[in-house]
Amino acid sequence: MLSRKGIIPEEYVLTRLAEDPAEPRYRARERKARFVSKKGNCNVAHKNIREQGRFLQDVFTTLVDLKWPHTLLIFTMSFLCSWLLFAMVWWLIAFAHGDLASDEGTIVPCVTSIHSFSSAFLFSIEVQVTIGFGGRMVTEECPLAILILIVQNIVGLMINAIMLGCIFMKTAQAHRRAETLIFSKHAVIAVRHGRLCFMLRVGDLRKSMIISATIHMQVVRKTTSPEGEVVPLHQVDIPMENGVGGNSIFLVAPLIIYHVIDSNSPLYDLAPSDLHHHQDLEIIVILEGVVETTGITTQARTSYLADEILWGQRFVPIVAEEDGRYSVDYSKFGNTIKVPTPLCTARQLDEDRSLLDALTLPSARGPLRKRSVAMAKAKPRFSISPDALT
């Protein structure tokens, strides 16, 4: 039923018994799979990887990429396994020296107060964590015990360094800063400076800046080469303009990033009707920069499908001057308004500039024409008779 697909609410849909079997049923058109989600995650599943051992060659990165439950489990098990391993070593040393069967008054033990595996486990924790309760200690009777003490301290320091480093890197990952870099939900296409432009808005919610911020855009679509080769994800870079020139931006306040659709643009033959039928089009936006507070490079990503591009609309202004400073109203961050825009491709607009003149001329002459018509229809409030002139 249509209600199960989320097209019509259930309160407006009759039951199955009231449906007419003679009426045709329409299925919702499947949405194109995104290459990059709106939150910036890459929608790619890696399957049938045979060389799994390559991940173990970079253990630190593998641990950082793991999910938090797996990282905490490895963090706990690494300490427990090391404590149990060295507890077994301390118990074997005490067993080989005869400390478990004899009293401490007869012979000098390798480690004092070790009578069972439980006491050896407690001593292993004291050594590795450097607690030192004072009840157990290594004597000079066994040189092997002194060597094991040194080895366990070194192993404990290595485990602490690796695991604490992994946890720090997971908490300070670059994508955390990217959560406050926002993009407009929709992109728009409208006329700017006499040319059709693809525009989007980007902003930063934090006061700390993104240093050396750059932005790039790519068009991802399914293409077929002249030789018949099908390229499912053909990526094409598209140039962009940000008002200051180049790809670098000064992201203090929200900016409108736009791409001029000219003869070198992959959107040169894009028409308004294609936005509803061109399901293979996806525009990826990548914002990259250095976090001012941490110095870590961060990257924010998003994408726009064909049905998320609004033709003939423009973003509303959200920056205003109040009390000697500029204020930004983020409640209108993604709001757009309709503007006169030719319903044709950029190629057709370049070939026939009269399509653009037909939109600009009425808007320019409209107020003057209304004023002249209003003055012509207005009646005089007083009149002068010919006798008064004489």
Side-chain angles (χ1 to χ4, degrees):
M1 295 176 62
L2 295 177
S3 60
R4 295 184 180 180
K5 294 184 178 294
I7 300 178
I8 302 177
E10 293 183 359
E11 58 267 20
Y12 296 101
V13 180
L14 300 178
T15 60
R16 183 178 297 273
L17 296 176
E19 293 180 356
D20 187 3
E23 295 182 358
R25 297 182 180 179
Y26 300 96
R27 299 179 61 183
R29 184 175 55 187
E30 295 183 359
R31 191 184 183 95
K32 176 185 178 296
R34 289 182 177 273
F35 186 55
V36 176
S37 65
K38 297 295 288 185
K39 295 183 179 181
N41 300 323
C42 296
N43 189 22
V44 179
H46 300 278
K47 298 181 179 180
N48 301 325
I49 300 178
R50 298 180 179 180
E51 298 181 1
Q52 298 287 345
R54 292 182 177 269
F55 295 99
L56 298 179
Q57 296 178 2
D58 189 6
V59 180
F60 187 79
T61 305
T62 303
L63 293 176
V64 173
D65 291 340
L66 291 177
K67 296 182 179 180
W68 271 109
H70 299 160
T71 302
L72 295 178
L73 178 61
I74 295 176
F75 180 82
T76 305
M77 293 302 299
S78 61
F79 283 103
L80 288 178
C81 292
S82 62
W83 292 341
L84 290 173
L85 176 62
F86 283 99
M88 180 63 68
V89 174
W90 290 118
W91 184 84
L92 290 176
I93 291 177
F95 178 78
H97 193 261
D99 300 339
L100 301 179
S102 62
D103 296 334
E104 294 185 359
T106 58
I107 61 173
V108 178
C110 294
V111 181
T112 60
S113 301
I114 290 185
H115 307 288
S116 62
F117 182 78
S118 298
S119 58
F121 180 73
L122 291 176
F123 180 72
S124 176
I125 296 176
E126 294 177 11
V127 170
Q128 188 164 332
V129 189
T130 63
I131 297 177
F133 292 111
R136 302 175 183 87
M137 61 181 179
V138 179
T139 64
E140 58 185 9
E141 181 69 18
C142 302
L144 180 60
I146 300 175
L147 178 63
I148 297 300
L149 178 66
I150 297 174
V151 172
Q152 186 174 3
N153 284 327
I154 295 175
V155 172
L157 290 176
M158 292 178 62
I159 294 177
N160 289 335
I162 294 175
M163 299 311 301
L164 293 179
C166 290
I167 293 179
F168 172 77
M169 291 300 297
K170 286 184 69 66
T171 55
Q173 281 184 337
H175 68 271
R176 303 296 181 186
R177 179 62 176 87
E179 295 293 335
T180 53
L181 298 174
I182 58 176
F183 300 87
S184 57
K185 183 179 179 181
H186 295 89
V188 298
I189 293 180
V191 177
R192 172 178 280 194
H193 304 301
R195 307 295 297 270
L196 281 177
C197 296
F198 172 86
M199 293 177 283
L200 61 100
R201 176 173 277 167
V202 59
D204 187 5
L205 299 180
R206 289 187 181 272
K207 292 184 178 180
S208 59
M209 295 178 53
I210 299 295
I211 304 174
S212 302
T214 58
I215 192 164
H216 305 275
M217 287 192 291
Q218 287 185 344
V219 173
V220 178
R221 59 174 51 170
K222 182 179 179 180
T223 59
T224 304
S225 64
E227 294 79 13
E229 180 185 3
V230 178
V231 182
L233 296 174
H234 182 61
Q235 303 179 19
V236 180
D237 291 333
I238 56 178
M240 44 76 65
E241 298 291 340
N242 53 37
V244 297
N247 292 337
S248 300
I249 58 177
F250 187 53
L251 196 59
V252 178
L255 297 177
I256 295 179
I257 310 299
Y258 68 95
H259 158 67
V260 179
I261 305 177
D262 53 11
S263 58
N264 297 324
S265 173
L267 307 178
Y268 195 50
D269 294 321
L270 183 66
S273 59
D274 297 334
L275 299 180
H276 303 283
H277 305 288
H278 205 304
Q279 296 298 315
D280 293 332
L281 176 64
E282 181 177 359
I283 299 178
I284 300 175
V285 183
I286 303 173
L287 173 62
E288 187 174 0
V290 179
V291 182
E292 183 181 20
T293 54
T294 61
I296 300 176
T297 302
T298 184
Q299 186 181 93
R301 300 178 295 266
T302 190
S303 68
Y304 298 96
L305 297 180
D307 56 355
E308 295 174 345
I309 302 174
L310 306 178
W311 191 283
Q313 298 200 26
R314 184 172 56 197
F315 292 104
V316 299
I318 61 175
V319 180
E321 187 176 357
E322 297 179 359
D323 300 331
R325 65 170 59 184
Y326 292 96
S327 62
V328 181
D329 186 5
Y330 281 99
S331 64
K332 303 178 182 178
F333 184 81
N335 294 359
T336 59
I337 56 174
K338 292 185 177 180
V339 292
T341 305
L343 300 178
C344 62
T345 64
R347 182 187 297 274
Q348 295 173 350
L349 184 62
D350 291 343
E351 295 175 354
D352 188 4
R353 300 297 295 181
S354 61
L355 298 174
L356 182 61
D357 297 337
L359 297 175
T360 57
L361 290 178
S363 61
R365 297 181 179 179
L368 297 177
R369 188 174 183 180
K370 290 181 179 179
R371 175 179 290 184
S372 62
V373 173
M375 293 179 62
K377 293 182 178 180
K379 294 182 180 180
R381 297 182 180 179
F382 60 92
S383 59
I384 300 177
S385 62
D387 298 336
L389 297 177
T390 59

